[in-house]
């Protein structure tokens, strides 16, 4: 969740020339693509056990995904198409189309969660923070922000790149660094640390001492529902595969790419960990909401020091960051779908481009689906539940794509052993089988978790929750096969 596949569309313009970017540049590119403020409240919900979950996510997801995608990305950089090409080369066009369609689809489901985060910030701008938990308010502004971002993206990639780079700095980095800074000041000024008094009912993340819930470092797992948040935390690192193509632009991909990935992984780890810890330091457990946790923290501290107006300022920055993020991702995954048009897998009307080279019809279809999903905020009473429900659906869809990616990496080592690869997973075919297999089983486990309601949220009907995820995943998996069948009939006729 991310938040992170926008670079996928740049595959076709990749070059085999080495030394065009440095290790530091690639490190920052990866960190910028993966890291998001949206994930900070998710981390804080786990209090100090977040570090264990982050470590597991990094070892079992981030590292395998980075290594396997680096090999595939550098091997097929000149062909373009990203994951579509990788899976197509391994398993054929149909599964290749499924992979890229799921990559595009997960973004559709991801938008409402990010939009909810931005909509909650609007509530703080107008000094109505209580509206951050109002489903109708969140749903309305989520739809407005999305369509505004969509029409702005029609101006072309030049405009998109400027907005995304400046928006990331203003709307993500500055608020995040400030959040960490005020949390440190809050703690060293002698104020109570919120995570020192966790509700005694939260036995997964706290143990009871003298009637007070004190934080655990290792979660106490008593049921499968206790670890469901792990699937969402894993998705905070998702999208790492989109930047693997740039490994071939390093001077020495074999040694420099692992260094860049290691540094980026550590940077992402510490950004999410320190951001999540900052919220856990400031906000009591019961006051943390997934859509408003960051601004709730700002409000509490700034009001304490009679600087309440600063909350409005940072709320504006968060909205800017949200809008720039949406604009940044709008054309990327949808552009990846255009590669399938070359193989006749999409209807012609979806390939229409405007004068700025933006695929408008795909974005209109995408917008209709996002609007439909944002409507969930109108009907679900708890915004945090809707937020997590959509996050789980996003995860389930995206994790299928990752399973296909890992299997493709393993298969291509056997079927195309002599394919030039600027970067290779260490250990030959055996190494790829181990790393790819580890990643596959990790995402398969996380995929199963997506169907189980978390114990940390008030899910009124676990059955409805599971059925929603199951139906949602089934629909998104069946659509590309239906499209493929329809297109095949048209060719015959």
């Amino acid at each position: 969740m991310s938040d992170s596949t926008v670079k996928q569309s740049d595959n076709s313009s990749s070059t085999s020339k080495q030394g065009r970017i440095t290790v530091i540049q690639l490190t920052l590119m990866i960190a910028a693509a993966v890291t998001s403020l949206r994930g900070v409240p998710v981390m804080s919900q786990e209090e100090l056990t977040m570090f264990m979950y982050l470590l597991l996510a990094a070892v079992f997801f981030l590292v395998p995904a980075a290594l396997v995608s680096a090999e595939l990305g550098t091997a097929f950089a000149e062909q373009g198409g990203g994951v579509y090409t990788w899976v197509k080369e391994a398993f054929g066009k149909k599964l290749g189309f499924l992979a890229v369609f799921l990559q595009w689809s997960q973004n559709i489901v991801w938008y409402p969660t990010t939009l909810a985060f931005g909509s909650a910030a609007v509530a703080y701008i107008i000094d109505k923070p209580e509206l951050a938990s109002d489903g109708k308010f969140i749903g309305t502004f989520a739809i407005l922000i999305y369509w505004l971002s969509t029409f702005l993206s029609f101006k072309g990639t030049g405009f998109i790149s400027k907005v995304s780079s400046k928006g990331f700095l203003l709307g993500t980095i500055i608020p995040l660094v400030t959040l960490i800074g005020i949390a440190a000041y809050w703690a060293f000024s002698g104020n109570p640390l919120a995570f020192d008094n966790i509700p005694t009912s939260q036995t997964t993340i706290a143990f009871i001492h003298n009637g007070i819930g004190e934080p655990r470092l290792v979660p106490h797992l008593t049921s499968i529902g206790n670890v469901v948040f792990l699937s969402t935390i894993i998705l905070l690192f998702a999208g790492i595969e989109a930047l693997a193509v740039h490994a071939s632009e390093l001077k020495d991909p074999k040694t420099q790419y692992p260094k860049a990935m290691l540094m980026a992984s550590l940077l992402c780890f510490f950004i999410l960990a320190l951001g999540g810890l900052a919220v856990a330091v400031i906000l009591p457990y019961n006051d943390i909401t997934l859509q408003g946790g960051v601004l709730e923290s700002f409000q509490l501290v700034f009001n304490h020091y009679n600087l309440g107006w600063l909350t409005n300022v940072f709320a504006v920055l968060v909205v800017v960051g949200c809008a720039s993020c949406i604009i940044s991702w709008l054309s990327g995954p949808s552009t990846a779908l255009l590669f399938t048009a070359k193989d006749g897998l999409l209807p012609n009307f979806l390939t229409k481009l405007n004068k700025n080279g933006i695929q408008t019809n795909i974005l209109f279809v995408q917008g209709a689906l996002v609007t439909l999903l944002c409507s969930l905020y109108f009907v679900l009473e708890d915004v945090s539940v809707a937020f997590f429900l959509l996050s789980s659906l996003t995860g389930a869809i995206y994790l299928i794509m990752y399973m296909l990616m890992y299997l493709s990496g393993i298969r291509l080592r056997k079927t195309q052993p002599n394919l030039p690869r600027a970067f290779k997973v260490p250990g030959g075919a055996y190494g790829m089988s181990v790393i790819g297999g580890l990643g596959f089983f990790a995402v398969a486990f996380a995929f199963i978790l997506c169907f189980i309601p978390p114990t940390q949220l008030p899910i009124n009907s676990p059955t409805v929750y599971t059925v929603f995820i199951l139906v949602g995943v089934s629909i998104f998996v069946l659509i590309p096969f239906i499209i493929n069948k329809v297109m095949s009939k048209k060719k015959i006729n």
Side-chain angles (χ1 to χ4, degrees):
M1 261 194 77
S2 201
D3 304 256
S4 47
T5 55
V6 69
K7 297 297 181 182
Q8 196 70 273
S9 62
D10 293 334
N11 286 357
S12 61
S13 61
S14 298
T15 176
S16 59
K17 294 181 180 179
Q18 294 183 330
R20 294 191 61 192
I21 60 175
T22 66
V23 173
I24 297 299
Q25 286 174 326
L26 184 56
T27 297
L28 295 177
M29 288 168 64
I30 295 170
V34 175
T35 307
S36 169
L37 278 179
R38 183 182 66 88
V40 169
V42 176
M43 299 308 310
S44 63
Q45 282 265 352
E46 298 305 309
E47 301 293 345
L48 298 192
T49 64
M50 73 176 78
F51 298 106
M52 178 60 70
Y53 284 119
L54 273 172
L55 183 61
L56 290 173
V59 172
F60 292 102
F61 176 79
L62 183 58
V63 173
L67 293 176
V68 173
S69 63
E71 176 170 318
L72 295 173
T74 54
F76 298 100
E78 293 185 1
Q79 292 187 37
V83 70
Y84 168 65
T85 300
W86 307 345
V87 179
K88 181 184 73 171
E89 289 290 324
F91 298 109
K93 290 182 181 180
K94 289 184 179 180
L95 288 183
F97 183 44
L98 172 64
V100 74
F101 184 85
L102 292 176
Q103 189 181 57
W104 175 70
S105 299
Q106 69 83 24
N107 246 58
I108 291 176
V109 185
W110 167 82
Y111 288 129
T113 62
T114 298
L115 289 163
F117 188 76
S119 299
V122 174
Y124 284 84
I125 293 175
I126 62 176
D127 284 325
K128 297 285 185 180
E130 65 276 9
L131 292 177
S133 298
D134 185 299
K136 293 182 176 60
F137 179 88
I138 294 296
T140 299
F141 275 90
I143 294 171
L144 288 175
I145 294 173
Y146 179 83
W147 281 106
L148 176 62
S149 301
T150 297
F151 288 118
L152 287 174
S153 72
F154 287 170
K155 293 187 176 182
T157 55
F159 175 81
I160 291 172
S161 63
K162 291 178 181 178
V163 171
S164 61
S165 59
K166 293 179 180 178
F168 177 73
L169 175 62
L170 291 173
T172 300
I173 297 302
I174 291 178
L176 184 62
V177 171
T178 304
L179 177 63
I180 295 170
I182 64 172
Y185 184 80
W186 178 267
F188 289 120
S189 296
N191 293 295
L193 305 181
F195 63 68
D196 278 340
N197 190 8
I198 302 171
T200 55
S201 59
Q202 299 298 325
T203 55
T204 302
I205 58 176
F207 62 90
I208 313 305
H209 180 68
N210 293 330
I212 298 175
E214 297 186 1
R216 296 178 183 271
L217 293 178
V218 178
H220 178 60
L221 306 179
T222 57
S223 69
I224 192 67
N226 296 148
V227 296
V228 171
F229 262 62
L230 178 60
S231 61
T232 299
I233 293 172
I234 283 178
L235 264 295
L236 296 180
F237 291 118
I240 202 76
E241 82 286 348
L243 294 177
V245 66
H246 293 292
S248 62
E249 297 179 42
L250 293 165
K251 186 176 181 180
D252 184 8
K254 291 183 179 179
T255 59
Q256 290 183 325
Y257 183 78
K259 289 180 181 178
M261 188 53 60
L262 175 61
M263 290 191 292
S265 299
L266 290 173
L267 184 58
C268 293
F269 181 94
F270 284 113
I271 286 175
L272 288 172
L274 292 176
L277 179 60
V279 173
V281 164
I282 297 169
L283 279 184
Y285 181 86
N286 288 333
D287 292 340
I288 299 173
T289 63
L290 297 183
Q291 74 279 5
V294 171
L295 285 168
E296 289 162 353
S297 300
F298 280 130
Q299 184 183 50
L300 191 153
V301 174
F302 290 146
N303 285 351
H304 179 80
Y305 292 108
N306 297 316
L307 296 170
W309 60 272
L310 281 175
T311 303
N312 302 75
V313 174
F314 280 94
V316 172
L317 293 180
V318 169
V319 173
V320 169
C322 174
S324 66
C325 183
I326 294 298
I327 292 173
S328 177
W329 301 131
L330 271 171
S331 62
S334 57
T335 300
L337 272 183
L338 290 178
F339 282 93
T340 64
K342 296 177 182 178
D343 288 336
L345 297 175
L346 279 178
N348 288 332
F349 85 95
L350 290 177
T351 63
K352 179 183 177 181
L353 304 177
N354 69 3
K355 63 180 181 180
N356 295 317
I358 300 299
Q359 52 284 357
T360 51
N361 283 357
I362 287 181
L363 290 182
F364 280 129
V365 172
Q366 180 172 290
L369 294 172
V370 171
T371 300
L372 180 63
L373 288 173
C374 284
S375 300
L376 278 175
Y377 292 118
F378 296 136
V379 297
L380 292 178
E381 294 181 4
D382 192 318
V383 174
S384 285
V385 171
F387 186 97
F388 190 82
L389 190 65
L390 290 170
S391 295
S392 294
L393 180 57
T394 300
I397 294 170
Y398 209 2
L399 290 171
I400 296 174
M401 187 224 76
Y402 274 108
M403 284 188 268
L404 289 171
M405 184 188 80
Y406 287 127
L407 292 176
S408 296
I410 295 171
R411 180 174 174 78
L412 288 171
R413 272 293 186 101
K414 297 177 180 178
T415 59
Q416 299 186 34
N418 299 321
L419 178 72
R421 295 166 168 88
F423 173 84
K424 289 185 178 181
V425 172
Y430 177 77
M432 171 61 85
S433 296
V434 171
I435 297 297
L438 177 66
F440 176 85
F441 286 111
V443 297
F445 177 66
F447 176 74
I448 294 172
L449 293 181
C450 290
F451 294 87
I452 303 171
T455 57
Q456 295 95 326
L457 289 176
I459 307 295
N460 294 327
S461 176
T463 302
V464 171
Y465 179 97
T466 301
V467 169
F468 175 84
I469 302 297
L470 181 62
V471 172
V473 170
S474 300
I475 290 173
F476 282 109
V477 169
L478 286 174
I479 287 175
F481 289 105
I482 293 173
I483 292 175
N484 190 277
K485 188 172 183 179
V486 171
M487 293 302 295
S488 296
K489 287 184 177 180
K490 285 186 177 181
K491 288 180 182 179
I492 295 174
N493 296 332

